[in-house]
Amino acid sequence: MGINTVLKLVCVILMVEIIHQSSARPSIRADNCGYQTCPLEKEGFINVHLVAHTHDDAGWLKTVDQYYYGARSQIQEAGVQYIIDSVVDELKDHPDRRFIYVEMAFFSRWWEEQNESTKSIVRELVNQGRLEFINGGWCMNDEATAYYVDIIDQMSLGLITLNDTFGECGRPRIAWQIDPFGHSREQANLFAEMGYDGLFFGRLDHEDKRERTTKKTMEMIWKASNSPVNQSSLFTAVNYNLYQPPPGFCFDIYCNDEPIIDDPKSKDYNVEQRVTDFLNYCEEQANAYATDSILLTMGSDFHYQDANVWFKNMDKLIKYANARQTEGSRFNLFYSTPSCYTKALNDHAVTWPTKTDDFFPYGSDSHAYWTGYFTSRPASKYMIRQASNLLQSCKQMDATLARQGATKAGDLFTMKDAMGIMQHHDAVTGTEKQHVAEDYALLLHKGVEECRKIQTSYYEKELVLGNTPLPKVSYCQLNISQCEPSETNNQFVINVYNSMALEVDRYIRVPVASGTNFRVLDTLGNTMPSQSIPIAESVKALPGRVSTATRELVFLARQLPPLGSKSYFVQPEPSGEDETIEPENKSSISNEKVSVEIDDVTGLIKSVTVNGKTTPLKQEFLWYASKSGDNSEADKRASGAYIFRPEGNDPLAMPSSGVRTTTYSGDLVQEIHQVYNPWVSQTIRVYKGQEHVELDWVVGPIPVEDGIGKEIISRISTDMVSKETFYTDANGRQTLERVLDVRESYPYTVTEPVAANYYPVNSHIFVKDSIGNQMTVLVDRPQGGSSLHDGELELMVHRRCLYDDAFGVGEALNEMAYGTGLVVRGTHFLILGDETNSMKLTRSLSHELYKQPQISFIPSTLSYQEWSALYKTEYQSISRTLPNNVNLLTLETLAGGKYLIRLEHIYDVGEDPILSQTVTVSLEGLFPGFTITSAEETMLGGNQFKKDSNRLIWNAASPERKAGHQMGEVRIPAVLLKPMEIRSFILTLVRII
Ligand SMILES: *[C@@H]1O[C@H](CO)[C@@H](O)[C@H](O)[C@H]1NC(C)=O
Ligand SMILES: *[C@@H]1O[C@H](CO)[C@@H](O)[C@H](O)[C@H]1NC(C)=O
Ligand SMILES: [Zn+2]
């Protein structure tokens, strides 16, 4: 008896077991998930798909834990563990009932707590399509302020967990974004690349919705990318009533609607009236949609805690409504799911309208534009972006350690879980209650701590040559120019880790103590150019900063190896006076490529010259007064966490008696420190060799003693003729054209001239003119931005509001920290130049701004010679750099000793004559000492092999250009990448030396 026979026997036994379990329900076969389990529609009827669902926010009014356990019910009645318990109970004895579940952050937690018998019941429900996972990400992520790397990570975390738990039957086919506040084209593109067959959402602009219900275009094919890859179209459906049940038919314990009372003897008997009302609503909805199939969302926030209440009433509704078919009723009701509804539409021979732009911004009425949250909680948004970068490094280091079979400290899951939760549409958006924001920060902080343990393990493993262990590795808060190890030691080692698969040069700045001159030695022990420059006054005064450092040591870390590190040595300079640069009274700073000129009178930038071409411009901080109001009617809407609504259409000048400036010159970096007033200041910076200008601003505490909320912008004005057109990125990837006061898809009425022209910016915003000049600003975190006048760009950097905007959060967005209004520090990169060069710089600098090197410190009194005898000063974990237009988006360890790798083409079509071309990347020999024995391509989520993907095919009004089928082009280990394309592979590596 061979191994095969044994395996077959086991399989037979398992099959018998499954059939036995389900023998009580002969109508449904086991392991029969997917579209074939869908209920059949009735020809000639209006088929009403009832979708039982719960919307479980991963934190909002309560923390994630409080929602899971059902704690603090005085804030909100909600307990997710009871919801899943109750739904499983109600499904198991009723084969016709169906339910969908969405948020894996909650489900995976619940699953871990179940015993085997419950797990097997749930597996059976999933295998039969009665419990269906929809979306399946860790959370339902926000689409305006989430970075694409984080969207991919959080979706993959959920999708891979689902595949590991349930296999193919657990794979979601539908993206379910019912609550996020506007919808991004890049998000749709990513969903298409993940293999989804459809996207459903609830929120779109009120004028867009009116237009679509009138024209029956609530469902469409969204062409989500300009890239020639062949799967970027996505069937998209807008829900009729957000994600709520029809008015009057909310059957949850939290609702007060009448149950169906079907005892004819009861004086409250109401079946006839209830069924008539329900069918009237179905009729109304059917009139707004293209086919005779409609989907009704039967559930809401944290519903189904007592699932019996919902299901029992829906059972009756279905029974009595369908009974009318014998009297000629045209309605056919049944339990369904979004995927079954999608499949039903796909079966109708209908040609669907197409859409190419996005669904931003979202106005829920004429004075409620959801554009404030693009900026709300700017410090939290920055912490998330930094943690995202750290997580990528950490995953790479973890993969390197795993490959070598090395043990490591630190739990990567803590960080993945925290980052997954942070992408939720009330987390990264900044639309949660203050106590929840604090809990999020704590979750993320714990993730950061775990990642640092992994980093330490990496250095301890990779840098040690012999048996002498590496001294303690320390980390610090460079974002506030505070660093205990570098401030309190006058001799230390700096490890700089580069997570890019390119060799890069990066300027490093570390706070150091006064009174000592330092020199920096490179990895070979040679002295490098360095410079010591004073820390801006406003940075030294940051609330919470505990540091005596008054200056920073600056040097250029050259040729940092791909996925690798270099160690630099900082030592006291034996002789000489203090070399810290003295302030000057100059009105310009420059390097060999760029110079910045300030106006002697105003202290503001008056021109920037790049490669000999001078652009006159003015950059300044201004503020909008937040509208106050009681929200009792549309025109009384207040500006708040979600909504941006300024008082008046022009921003106001800063209270200031003139901007004070101080200039510092040097060989490596030159700076102008500007001070507007005690709460607004900025450092303008140009580094040697760079073509962009860095603007390092500090804003806050925003004063509100006058009772007026304030929203602060940085605005740059030029005389460029940009024809009311500007461009913003989507989730840090593709670029969308925006035209002032115009929506591509629907007639739009100007009611909020400022707020309704704000768009989310995750990496870049620019204007250009017809003669090829372009002005671009890059951001270090999501912000709202616009161009309200020709040649102008503005970005909202901080906001502090005193009124709630009445969308549920119930608090004003009035952030405090260290006993005063929140102070925020951030960076903008300003790029001026011709269009092509600007796009090239935009792509490379936006990756630079995001993927800043990880810096750690080791105080040590060893000399360079002593140190380098014990430890490596340079290490790289891949064998070579990738092409300049390719980003190694992901490298992480999977269960079972495999690795997930993603390669990304970072240019879009037409951005650069050379870099936008198709590129081939070889994986051969990429991991030193290992060979790749298999590389299986997967969909973007890493949960399904590409060869198994079989997406539904749709008839679109303007059909897609058919690109060649990619599968034929896969020649592992050579990977072909088209513009903007991301390809994912599961690798098996085998050691060869
Ligand atoms: C498993 O858990 C369920 C739900 O908590 C419980 O009703 C059941 O008795 C448990 N089964 C076993 C075998 O422990
Ligand atoms: C998904 O799960 C199935 C069943 O466990 C497994 O065979 C398959 O390899 C998994 N797919 C991926 C892409 O990991
Ligand atoms: Zn929500």
Side-chain angles (χ1 to χ4, degrees):
M1 205 156 69
I3 290 167
N4 275 343
T5 331
V6 175
L7 275 179
K8 269 183 206 147
L9 254 181
V10 172
C11 289
V12 170
I13 294 166
L14 281 177
M15 282 300 295
V16 169
E17 180 61 21
I18 289 162
I19 292 165
H20 173 76
Q21 279 181 5
S22 53
S23 60
R25 291 158 222 117
S27 58
I28 299 169
R29 264 190 42 232
D31 276 12
N32 191 21
C33 59
Y35 293 126
Q36 67 268 33
T37 66
C38 286
L40 290 179
E41 292 199 324
K42 269 193 173 175
E43 192 92 32
F45 285 80
I46 293 180
N47 286 287
V48 181
H49 295 247
L50 300 176
V51 173
H53 80 102
T54 180
H55 176 64
D56 299 347
D57 291 310
W60 180 40
L61 308 180
K62 307 204 290 188
T63 68
V64 190
D65 279 24
Q66 289 162 359
Y67 276 134
Y68 180 72
Y69 288 108
R72 303 203 51 188
S73 52
Q74 70 282 12
I75 299 180
Q76 189 182 10
E77 295 262 9
V80 175
Q81 57 168 343
Y82 307 126
I83 295 173
I84 308 176
D85 285 344
S86 177
V87 164
V88 168
D89 242 25
E90 290 302 318
L91 290 178
K92 83 176 176 245
D93 300 321
H94 299 88
D96 57 325
R97 292 178 179 173
R98 286 169 186 257
F99 195 78
I100 58 170
Y101 200 76
V102 178
E103 297 86 2
M104 288 302 291
F106 288 125
F107 183 84
S108 62
R109 210 162 157 167
W110 179 87
W111 180 255
E112 293 305 317
E113 291 175 356
Q114 303 311 306
N115 60 32
E116 248 332 292
S117 64
T118 304
K119 283 184 178 175
S120 84
I121 291 167
V122 172
R123 277 194 202 99
E124 195 187 342
L125 293 173
V126 171
N127 288 346
Q128 296 171 356
R130 293 154 61 192
L131 174 61
E132 187 179 304
F133 291 96
I134 291 291
N135 225 46
W138 213 240
C139 68
M140 183 184 292
N141 72 250
D142 173 56
E143 300 192 25
T145 61
Y147 199 53
Y148 74 101
V149 178
D150 303 332
I151 295 173
I152 294 170
D153 274 354
Q154 82 86 14
M155 288 305 302
S156 304
L157 182 58
L159 292 174
I160 293 174
T161 304
L162 274 173
N163 193 57
D164 287 350
T165 313
F166 299 107
E168 172 63 13
C169 290
R171 183 172 65 82
R173 288 148 197 275
I174 299 298
W176 184 250
Q177 294 284 103
I178 53 176
D179 199 20
F181 328 133
H183 301 279
S184 143
R185 189 175 188 234
E186 181 61 28
Q187 176 90 46
N189 177 41
L190 297 175
F191 279 142
E193 297 280 338
M194 288 172 195
Y196 285 95
D197 277 326
L199 161 66
F200 287 72
F201 63 70
R203 298 187 187 272
L204 80 170
D205 190 89
H206 63 292
E207 289 183 299
D208 196 4
K209 184 169 184 182
R210 193 188 311 135
E211 178 88 357
R212 288 182 181 281
T213 49
T214 313
K215 294 192 170 155
K216 300 189 181 222
T217 54
M218 291 285 269
E219 292 152 335
M220 71 210 86
I221 303 296
W222 193 351
K223 301 186 162 212
S225 166
N226 302 334
S227 169
V229 288
N230 55 5
Q231 48 192 355
S232 57
S233 283
L234 186 64
F235 172 77
T236 301
V238 185
N239 290 337
Y240 190 58
N241 189 26
L242 192 57
Y243 54 89
Q244 311 290 356
F249 293 88
C250 182
F251 295 123
D252 203 74
I253 45 168
Y254 302 139
C255 303
N256 299 314
D257 295 341
E258 285 292 286
I260 312 282
I261 303 169
D262 56 349
D263 177 357
K265 294 197 291 288
S266 166
K267 83 174 186 356
D268 294 327
Y269 175 84
N270 62 11
V271 170
E272 299 316 321
Q273 190 56 47
R274 298 291 275 150
V275 169
T276 301
D277 290 348
F278 192 81
L279 295 183
N280 284 342
Y281 182 87
C282 292
E283 179 93 56
E284 177 198 307
Q285 179 172 339
N287 285 335
Y289 284 76
T291 75
D292 280 345
S293 303
I294 56 172
L295 180 152
L296 268 64
T297 43
M298 306 303 278
S300 186
D301 295 10
F302 300 97
H303 277 196
Y304 290 80
Q305 193 165 309
D306 185 349
N308 176 49
V309 184
W310 255 116
F311 279 122
K312 195 165 186 175
N313 283 286
M314 274 194 293
D315 285 347
K316 290 182 182 174
L317 200 56
I318 292 169
K319 175 176 153 194
Y320 294 114
N322 289 352
R324 288 197 187 175
Q325 290 171 5
T326 55
E327 304 152 23
S329 161
R330 291 174 56 238
F331 293 92
N332 182 38
L333 276 56
F334 48 90
Y335 287 110
S336 185
T337 65
S339 61
C340 289
Y341 174 72
T342 301
K343 181 64 171 72
L345 293 195
N346 187 259
D347 290 341
H348 294 304
V350 174
T351 298
W352 301 95
T354 56
K355 153 112 181 160
T356 51
D357 60 331
D358 65 357
F359 291 93
F360 286 119
Y362 161 52
S364 52
D365 66 45
S366 51
H367 294 291
Y369 283 89
W370 298 47
T371 54
Y373 82 93
F374 299 163
T375 297
S376 297
R377 298 192 188 276
S380 163
K381 283 178 162 73
Y382 185 57
M383 187 178 180
I384 295 168
R385 186 63 66 86
Q386 280 206 309
S388 168
N389 177 29
L390 177 59
L391 174 57
Q392 306 315 313
S393 301
C394 199
K395 290 196 290 190
Q396 295 174 355
M397 292 175 169
D398 177 73
T400 302
L401 291 168
R403 219 156 58 227
Q404 299 166 342
T407 53
K408 62 164 171 72
D411 174 29
L412 193 51
F413 177 78
T414 309
M415 183 64 144
K416 289 184 170 183
D417 176 42
M419 278 298 288
I421 288 168
M422 292 314 297
Q423 308 314 313
H424 166 58
H425 57 268
D426 295 302
V428 65
T429 51
T431 55
E432 70 280 35
K433 279 190 185 290
Q434 184 59 32
H435 82 100
V436 178
E438 283 154 21
D439 184 65
Y440 282 144
L442 184 63
L443 281 179
L444 204 49
H445 175 73
K446 285 181 178 162
V448 168
E449 300 268 278
E450 293 302 315
C451 256
R452 286 185 170 167
K453 287 184 200 162
I454 294 172
Q455 255 189 78
T456 298
S457 294
Y458 175 86
Y459 285 124
E460 286 171 350
K461 165 80 183 152
E462 306 306 347
L463 298 188
V464 175
L465 287 167
N467 296 324
T468 315
L470 197 70
K472 186 177 183 305
V473 183
S474 317
Y475 301 87
C476 53
Q477 285 171 276
L478 295 174
N479 62 333
I480 54 169
S481 298
Q482 166 184 325
C483 190
E484 204 262 348
S486 65
E487 287 170 26
T488 56
N489 295 283
N490 58 13
Q491 194 172 335
F492 52 91
V493 176
I494 306 177
N495 300 312
V496 181
Y497 179 84
N498 167 34
S499 62
M500 303 188 56
L502 305 174
E503 190 177 87
V504 299
D505 297 347
R506 292 287 181 265
Y507 279 100
I508 307 295
R509 294 176 80 96
V510 296
V512 285
S514 334
T516 312
N517 291 331
F518 292 98
R519 72 171 166 208
V520 183
L521 307 184
D522 67 13
T523 54
L524 300 173
N526 303 318
T527 303
M528 312 169 56
S530 64
Q531 185 182 332
S532 181
I533 190 160
I535 295 172
E537 293 303 321
S538 56
V539 172
K540 284 193 287 188
L542 283 170
R545 181 174 184 265
V546 184
S547 167
T548 51
T550 55
R551 55 197 182 123
E552 283 174 315
L553 184 63
V554 181
F555 64 95
L556 181 64
R558 281 179 170 282
Q559 297 176 309
L560 289 168
L563 269 63
S565 67
K566 280 191 172 182
S567 303
Y568 297 87
F569 298 80
V570 179
Q571 301 177 342
E573 188 76 63
S575 63
E577 304 137 37
D578 188 343
E579 287 171 351
T580 303
I581 290 162
E582 292 301 321
E584 293 174 80
N585 212 351
K586 276 168 56 182
S587 55
S588 74
I589 50 171
S590 60
N591 64 20
E592 67 287 6
K593 292 178 179 165
V594 182
S595 76
V596 181
E597 189 107 16
I598 53 169
D599 186 305
D600 286 329
V601 179
T602 62
L604 303 174
I605 301 179
K606 75 171 183 204
S607 71
V608 175
T609 305
V610 182
N611 295 325
K613 184 171 193 317
T614 299
T615 310
L617 64 80
K618 180 169 165 192
Q619 182 262 343
E620 61 194 321
F621 287 91
L622 300 153
W623 65 285
Y624 292 103
S626 314
K627 195 89 147 183
S628 57
D630 63 7
N631 308 295
S632 57
E633 52 195 90
D635 196 32
K636 298 213 169 112
R637 181 73 62 188
S639 203
Y642 303 90
I643 304 302
F644 171 36
R645 194 168 177 228
E647 188 74 64
N649 297 331
D650 295 307
L652 307 168
M654 278 296 155
S656 168
S657 48
V659 176
R660 274 192 299 118
T661 64
T662 318
T663 308
Y664 298 94
S665 309
D667 291 340
L668 294 182
V669 62
Q670 306 206 345
E671 297 186 350
I672 298 171
H673 294 192
Q674 293 177 310
V675 179
Y676 281 70
N677 59 33
W679 57 278
V680 177
S681 64
Q682 178 175 256
T683 298
I684 306 162
R685 192 174 283 145
V686 293
Y687 283 106
K688 183 179 174 169
Q690 299 196 332
E691 270 182 72
H692 66 279
V693 179
E694 194 173 304
L695 303 169
D696 175 357
W697 43 265
V698 177
V699 174
I702 299 173
V704 289
E705 294 75 26
D706 56 3
I708 299 171
K710 297 180 185 64
E711 326 216 8
I712 316 302
I713 61 164
S714 167
R715 190 176 76 183
I716 308 178
S717 326
T718 66
D719 54 12
M720 275 168 68
V721 182
S722 52
K723 301 211 173 103
E724 307 197 328
T725 304
F726 58 109
Y727 301 82
T728 58
D729 70 276
N731 311 102
R733 282 197 98 220
Q734 53 180 301
T735 305
L736 279 81
E737 183 185 279
R738 312 297 188 182
V739 181
L740 199 68
D741 293 334
V742 172
R743 302 288 192 265
E744 197 177 306
S745 307
Y746 58 93
Y748 157 73
T749 321
V750 181
T751 47
E752 288 288 334
V754 177
N757 281 304
Y758 258 62
Y759 288 88
V761 179
N762 268 276
S763 75
H764 55 276
I765 178 169
F766 62 85
V767 282
K768 57 185 184 184
D769 64 18
S770 56
I771 49 172
N773 299 307
Q774 181 166 322
M775 172 170 74
T776 312
V777 178
L778 305 185
V779 297
D780 63 351
R781 76 198 70 194
Q783 289 172 344
S786 190
S787 172
L788 298 172
H789 306 100
D790 262 21
E792 197 178 275
L793 288 175
E794 70 180 62
L795 284 155
M796 187 185 291
V797 296
H798 194 3
R799 54 202 307 257
R800 187 174 181 192
C801 306
L802 300 176
Y803 291 83
D804 175 39
D805 53 15
F807 284 101
V809 74
E811 287 178 2
L813 182 77
N814 181 0
E815 286 186 281
M816 305 279 289
Y818 303 101
T820 179
L822 179 73
V823 183
V824 181
R825 181 185 187 184
T827 302
H828 289 151
F829 282 180
L830 170 64
I831 303 169
L832 288 155
D834 69 67
E835 219 176 301
T836 306
N837 195 42
S838 294
M839 259 349 274
K840 193 153 91 184
L841 279 174
T842 296
R843 290 296 177 193
S844 66
L845 288 174
S846 64
H847 279 86
E848 175 173 336
L849 195 48
Y850 165 63
K851 283 206 157 184
Q852 296 190 19
Q854 299 300 336
I855 298 176
S856 59
F857 300 84
I858 306 179
S860 166
T861 51
L862 298 183
S863 69
Y864 171 78
Q865 277 71 19
E866 290 166 329
W867 179 279
S868 57
L870 297 174
Y871 310 112
K872 285 182 213 166
T873 56
E874 181 169 353
Y875 179 78
Q876 99 182 45
S877 42
I878 56 173
S879 56
R880 58 174 182 273
T881 74
L882 299 185
N884 270 338
N885 47 1
V886 174
N887 176 35
L888 177 72
L889 176 59
T890 306
L891 175 61
E892 69 182 84
T893 315
L894 293 176
K898 302 202 173 191
Y899 299 88
L900 179 64
I901 188 171
R902 289 195 185 91
L903 297 168
E904 174 193 11
H905 193 311
I906 64 171
Y907 284 79
D908 208 338
V909 179
E911 284 180 349
D912 187 89
I914 295 156
L915 294 166
S916 287
Q917 289 174 11
T918 297
V919 56
T920 305
V921 183
S922 166
L923 295 177
E924 186 98 60
L926 190 62
F927 302 98
F930 288 81
T931 183
I932 299 170
T933 54
S934 76
E936 289 176 277
E937 183 159 21
T938 68
M939 302 304 281
L940 184 57
N943 62 324
Q944 185 191 28
F945 294 115
K946 195 153 186 177
K947 63 178 163 45
D948 298 333
S949 169
N950 187 19
R951 294 182 68 207
L952 297 175
I953 312 256
W954 299 88
N955 293 325
S958 43
E960 232 178 328
R961 169 161 58 102
K962 274 273 172 282
H965 200 281
Q966 272 187 349
M967 285 315 297
E969 296 168 10
V970 183
R971 285 195 331 273
I972 304 300
V975 180
L976 196 76
L977 292 168
K978 294 177 188 159
M980 285 271 115
E981 189 172 22
I982 300 173
R983 295 180 73 180
S984 314
F985 299 88
I986 294 179
L987 304 183
T988 311
L989 300 180
V990 171
R991 186 184 284 277
I992 47 172
I993 44 169

Coordinates of all heavy atoms in Angstrom, one line a residue, residues 55 57 179 243 301 424-426, ligand 3:
H55 N -23.0 45.5 10.1 CA -21.8 46.4 9.8 C -21.1 46.7 11.1 O -21.5 47.4 12.0 CB -22.3 47.7 9.2 CG -21.2 48.7 8.9 ND1 -20.2 48.4 8.0 CD2 -20.9 49.9 9.5 CE1 -19.4 49.4 8.0 NE2 -19.8 50.3 8.9
D57 N -18.0 48.2 12.8 CA -16.8 49.1 12.7 C -15.7 48.6 13.6 O -15.9 48.3 14.8 CB -17.2 50.5 13.2 CG -18.2 51.1 12.2 OD1 -17.9 51.2 11.0 OD2 -19.2 51.6 12.6
D179 N -19.8 51.7 3.8 CA -19.9 52.9 4.6 C -18.8 53.9 4.3 O -19.0 55.1 4.6 CB -19.8 52.4 6.1 CG -20.2 53.5 7.1 OD1 -21.0 54.4 6.6 OD2 -19.9 53.5 8.3
Y243 N -26.9 51.3 3.5 CA -26.8 49.8 3.8 C -27.8 49.5 4.8 O -27.8 48.5 5.5 CB -25.4 49.4 4.3 CG -24.9 50.2 5.5 CD1 -25.1 49.8 6.8 CD2 -24.1 51.3 5.3 CE1 -24.7 50.5 7.9 CE2 -23.6 52.1 6.5 CZ -23.9 51.6 7.7 OH -23.5 52.3 8.8
D301 N -25.6 48.8 11.6 CA -24.5 48.8 12.5 C -24.7 47.8 13.7 O -25.6 48.0 14.4 CB -24.2 50.2 13.1 CG -23.8 51.2 12.0 OD1 -23.9 50.9 10.8 OD2 -23.5 52.3 12.4
H424 N -9.3 51.2 8.9 CA -10.7 51.2 9.0 C -11.2 52.6 8.7 O -10.5 53.6 9.0 CB -11.1 50.8 10.5 CG -12.5 51.1 10.8 ND1 -13.6 50.6 10.1 CD2 -13.0 51.8 11.8 CE1 -14.7 51.1 10.7 NE2 -14.4 51.8 11.7
H425 N -12.5 52.7 8.3 CA -13.0 54.0 7.8 C -13.4 55.0 9.0 O -13.9 56.0 8.7 CB -14.1 53.8 6.8 CG -15.3 53.0 7.4 ND1 -15.3 51.6 7.2 CD2 -16.4 53.3 8.1 CE1 -16.4 51.2 7.8 NE2 -17.1 52.2 8.3
D426 N -13.1 54.6 10.2 CA -13.1 55.6 11.3 C -11.8 55.7 12.0 O -11.7 56.2 13.1 CB -14.2 55.2 12.3 CG -15.6 55.3 11.7 OD1 -16.0 56.4 11.2 OD2 -16.3 54.3 11.6
Ligands
ZN3 ZN -18.8 52.1 9.4

